[in-house]
Amino acid sequence: AQKVTQAQTEISVVEKEDVTLDCVYETRDTTYYLFWYKQPPSGELVFLIRRNSFDEQNEISGRYSWNFQKSTSSFNFTITASQVVDSAVYFCALSEGYNFNKFYFGSGTKLNVKP
Amino acid sequence: DTEVTQTPKHLVMGMTNKKSLKCEQHMGHRAMYWYKQKAKKPPELMFVYSYEKLSINESVPSRFSPECPNSSLLNLHLHALQPEDSALYLCASSHSAAVSYNEQFFGPGTRLTVL
């Protein structure tokens, strides 16, 4: 079974629209870590955020915000007032327990922001 | 210095060639990773080095041979590759591979084409 599911394969929005990228995870560990990465067309994965399983506070960083809900095993990512530069593939990833730093990536969501 | 560098950016090789991919980081990280990424797919973990020792080999064919000469360098030696090995090869590093909370920092990748 897939540990991280990103059901949205591709999303297209017009600049200045808000957009939410969904991430649902599955783990039996009580300690785990969730990550979001951005991969622009250049190819490099850029780290955006890490959240641990004991901290359910939502986080806001500029136009980016993250909603972590353990009850639904979700860690969703919202971009407010999207810009063309936000166009990229976004990956959600899970790292479990006190194990090796092994990431389970979701399949990614491609975001197209049109001017 | 907070970046991971990879050379070359692009590589085209025949099935009988021998080539090497190089990765370097100067962040003092003690864990380094090789990933393979096919188009429209998430990165797939290939190898993990922890303190310059191979810790994880995800059942990668022997035509891929990793090497970690020191804590800053990671190589991937390629020999007798197949066309299906064409992909983006990403290198990453993190503070440690022994714990699961570390974010991984990725390089820009080497785009490999096997003819």
Side-chain angles (χ1 to χ4, degrees):
Chain A
Q2 209 164 358
K3 287 185 178 282
V4 179
T5 301
Q6 294 180 256
Q8 304 150 310
T9 305
E10 189 164 352
I11 301 174
S12 292
V13 298
V14 176
E15 212 171 13
K16 297 184 184 175
E17 284 184 8
D18 298 348
V19 58
T20 295
L21 310 182
D22 298 332
C23 173
V24 174
Y25 62 92
E26 183 181 332
T27 180
R28 293 186 177 184
D29 286 358
T30 54
T31 300
Y32 53 89
Y33 301 86
L34 296 161
F35 302 80
W36 276 95
Y37 280 84
K38 173 183 180 180
Q39 188 175 36
S42 59
E44 180 176 347
L45 273 84
V46 178
F47 166 72
L48 296 178
I49 191 172
R50 174 187 63 213
R51 173 65 67 214
N52 74 58
S53 55
F54 299 109
D55 182 2
E56 283 197 74
Q57 274 192 336
N58 292 330
E59 179 145 349
I60 298 174
S61 176
R63 295 184 298 108
Y64 295 171
S65 62
W66 291 268
N67 183 286
F68 176 35
Q69 292 199 335
K70 287 178 76 170
S71 59
T72 55
S73 298
S74 65
F75 186 42
N76 297 337
F77 172 30
T78 297
I79 302 175
T80 303
S82 59
Q83 299 176 1
V84 173
V85 293
D86 295 328
S87 296
V89 180
Y90 290 86
F91 290 100
C92 181
L94 166 73
S95 183
E96 293 178 304
Y98 294 99
N99 220 333
F100 253 87
N101 195 196
K102 178 175 175 176
F103 281 8
Y104 296 94
F105 281 96
S107 54
T109 297
K110 184 176 181 183
L111 175 63
N112 302 305
V113 182
K114 302 175 183 178
Chain B
D1 189 354
T2 58
E3 66 171 3
V4 177
T5 59
Q6 290 187 244
T7 55
K9 291 189 76 169
H10 301 275
L11 178 62
V12 179
M13 60 186 289
M15 288 190 285
T16 58
N17 291 159
K18 283 185 181 182
K19 296 285 185 183
S20 297
L21 310 184
K22 295 184 185 306
C23 174
E24 190 167 3
Q25 58 88 13
H26 294 289
M27 294 179 277
H29 290 171
R30 302 313 300 267
M32 297 186 77
Y33 311 75
W34 278 115
Y35 288 85
K36 173 183 177 180
Q37 187 179 23
K38 302 282 275 186
K40 299 187 179 183
K41 296 288 186 183
E44 293 175 38
L45 183 65
M46 299 174 73
F47 303 104
V48 180
Y49 272 83
S50 179
Y51 290 87
E52 296 142 59
K53 292 187 177 176
L54 183 63
S55 299
I56 294 180
N57 175 341
E58 293 282 4
S59 304
V60 179
S62 59
R63 56 186 185 269
F64 295 92
S65 174
E67 178 197 17
C68 190
N70 60 56
S71 60
S72 301
L73 290 173
L74 185 65
N75 298 322
L76 186 63
H77 303 298
L78 314 172
H79 172 55
L81 295 193
Q82 304 297 310
E84 59 265 28
D85 296 322
S86 298
L88 179 68
Y89 288 84
L90 293 161
C91 174
S93 71
S94 69
H95 283 287
S96 166
V99 291
S100 54
Y101 57 72
N102 288 314
E103 62 267 35
Q104 295 179 20
F105 294 85
F106 285 80
T110 293
R111 199 162 294 279
L112 174 68
T113 303
V114 182
L115 300 175

